[in-house]
Amino acid sequence: MPGVQSSLNIIHLGPGNVGKAFLRILLEQKKLIQSVFGIKIIVSGIVRSDKYLFSRDGLSDKEIKKVINKDENLRWLNTPGQTHIKQLMRFIPKKSVLLDTSASDKTVDLLIYQLERGGFAVVSNKKTLISELSDRKKFNPFQQSFFYETTVGAGLPVISTVKDMIESGDKIEEIEGCFSGTLGFIFSELEKGSPFSGAVLAAKELGYTEPDPRDDLSGIDVARKALILSRLLGKRISLKNIKTIPLYPEEMKRLSADEFLSQVHRLDSGYKKRLSNALRERKTLRYVAVVTKNKTEVSLKEVQISGDIGSLKGPDNIIKIRSERYKANPMIIKGPGAGIEVTAAGVFADLLKIIRILRA
Amino acid sequence: MPGVQSSLNIIHLGPGNVGKAFLRILLEQKKLIQSVFGIKIIVSGIVRSDKYLFSRDGLSDKEIKKVINKDENLRWLNTPGQTHIKQLMRFIPKKSVLLDTSASDKTVDLLIYQLERGGFAVVSNKKTLISELSDRKKFNPFQQSFFYETTVGAGLPVISTVKDMIESGDKIEEIEGCFSGTLGFIFSELEKGSPFSGAVLAAKELGYTEPDPRDDLSGIDVARKALILSRLLGKRISLKNIKTIPLYPEEMKRLSADEFLSQVHRLDSGYKKRLSNALRERKTLRYVAVVTKNKTEVSLKEVQISGDIGSLKGPDNIIKIRSERYKANPMIIKGPGAGIEVTAAGVFADLLKIIRILRA
């Protein structure tokens, strides 16, 4: 049949933790994909910031396993940069996938190049989607070939659901949600009686926070996700337009990470008081993102303790979507919104969407 | 480009309430679809049980509006049955959509015919999916061209999410959920102090129940949805293999609908007692479907009142998915799981999936 493709080449940027978990799923599933969809997945390139592997006809399973296992005998080539990667891309068919699981802010050009030549792209890398408006606009024509489900809520079907609602003519009125497992954990601990500083330190010890916990407490990561959702709703805004209220005062910004950790207990009494005031009204505290037509805002809020957001436990994420059709009762999606395995599975599910398109 | 399609023909079976709402969305969205995807949607046929409209090149918007408005001046043709519909289907391209929003159990043959010739099908009609195993097997090869999202949870993204999880290599361990808005409403009313009979009558008055409320109270409709999910997980079972515990005793089966309604108060004290026993342990009552590898069961259960299922309010549906990857914390999708508008929007979202496939 004309137009039906029997193989699909991938160039994979950023084989970090999520990237390696993705490659593991790929090795496990590729036989099944070939038998169900008749499409052979060919990993033509794996690219790190400084080096790469490439074979137009596909890296062997053995080589891919070596990447997963960080095998030191693997002979990476040095990459002289972006232009070189573009040259590699020209060796593989246009209807291929550029897959970005890196954390780099330098992949936007490559992604645009791939989309403009008629290819597909899948990213778990949020940085590609939060770039300045001028950059972001370049992605707009490619809403149907650019997949980024895991940038909000990891494997939870958030982006695809909102997209389906919009494209079937629904009008989204409000998206409200908790998109930080780390902050969810911290405020669940507070509810259990832990002081704020204790909750922050516990989160750090469990590996839930960035090395400097202020990267989480600043709310920036939540603001990024709110930005991605806002732009999905067609709003023309940038990160700087989002009202983001951090969980520590201005004057603690200039401290070193260690200084911050040794002084974070200064915030305990404030949060204790705010929580006990909230509890008196059967409310609790949650760090909430709100996106409506007129505002995009992320901040700590008092919410009903028995409500969907208030009853959220530990590191789970939640998204509540109110629309013309889901007005009285919103649509709610909830579950683990971070984690290597669920993110990698979400990236693979995005790849599946492309495979379904190609096998038609 | 070869294989790229610039139009998509639809034959629509069953323009009832959901069907008409679907046609309304279609008329509103088709311009946008054409500009975004470059695909013109052509409604070639609209078929009722006894009559039909057909035009290979497409019914006009005016004619479709007349169907929506039940215009009596519309000149339907009499249909001499299934074979005739198949003949009509032969007039339109194979890569078309047969869309079934009827409640008929006689469309299975037509759907199989459409799928076997390489076309697509979308159904909101559960009857097509609960047919005997021998029939159901015929659908198996077409998991990628057969869409039935709205048969469980209406517009909630249930089927597509489970499908994505399975195809990305996750192992589903348990699906648990409430799939009856009617029964959800009844047990929410009980919690508020209403007697069982009062809740049933209120549900009937609000139009939530079938004319004979036993059609809801029997649990059969929930069992059908549990069957659809079980088969999605690859289980080879039929409706008769599902343990279904109705909400009224055996001896009330032989009553007429009116007799049942006048005697339903006999069940009040039993439910009152069961609920107060449950409440003493901070539990409440919910009619729950459970699907695991080894069992598929629908019955009234005592569940934690503060849990996800116990805190479900009124007519909302909920689905909880536990899998290898979503183990400690399940993935949860919640919201209105019935209703004309959300079901029609879900049918349209299924159509969009096909459009995305074809425009690649």
Side-chain angles (χ1 to χ4, degrees), chain A residues 194 209 330 346:
Chain A
S194 172
T209 69

Side-chain angles (χ1 to χ4, degrees), chain A residues 143-207:
Chain A
Q143 283 305 314
Q144 305 304 327
S145 41
F146 182 41
F147 297 86
Y148 50 96
E149 182 61 85
T150 55
T151 58
V152 181
L156 303 176
V158 171
I159 304 288
S160 57
T161 300
V162 174
K163 230 175 176 177
D164 273 357
M165 289 172 82
I166 295 172
E167 288 176 0
S168 55
D170 205 352
K171 310 266 180 299
I172 308 283
E173 294 172 355
E174 184 183 69
I175 294 179
E176 205 184 356
C178 294
F179 299 118
S180 165
T182 312
L183 299 182
F185 171 83
I186 288 173
F187 287 99
S188 283
E189 289 299 296
L190 246 65
E191 251 173 59
K192 293 185 203 156
S194 172
F196 184 72
S197 59
V200 170
L201 292 169
K204 186 170 159 59
E205 250 166 53
L206 286 164

Side-chain angles (χ1 to χ4, degrees), chain B residues 6 33 42 45 50 52 62 95 109 128 135 139 159 165 174 179 192 213 223-224 241 302 313 322 324 350 355 359:
Chain B
S6 62
I33 297 298
I42 297 169
D50 51 345
Y52 73 99
K62 217 170 145 184
K95 289 257 171 206
D109 266 1
T128 59
D135 247 5
F139 284 111
I159 303 288
M165 288 172 82
E174 183 184 69
F179 299 118
K192 293 185 204 156
R224 285 184 188 130
N241 308 124
E302 279 76 9
K313 289 280 168 292
R322 279 188 197 280
E324 209 171 79
D350 270 352
I355 289 168
R359 60 86 67 180

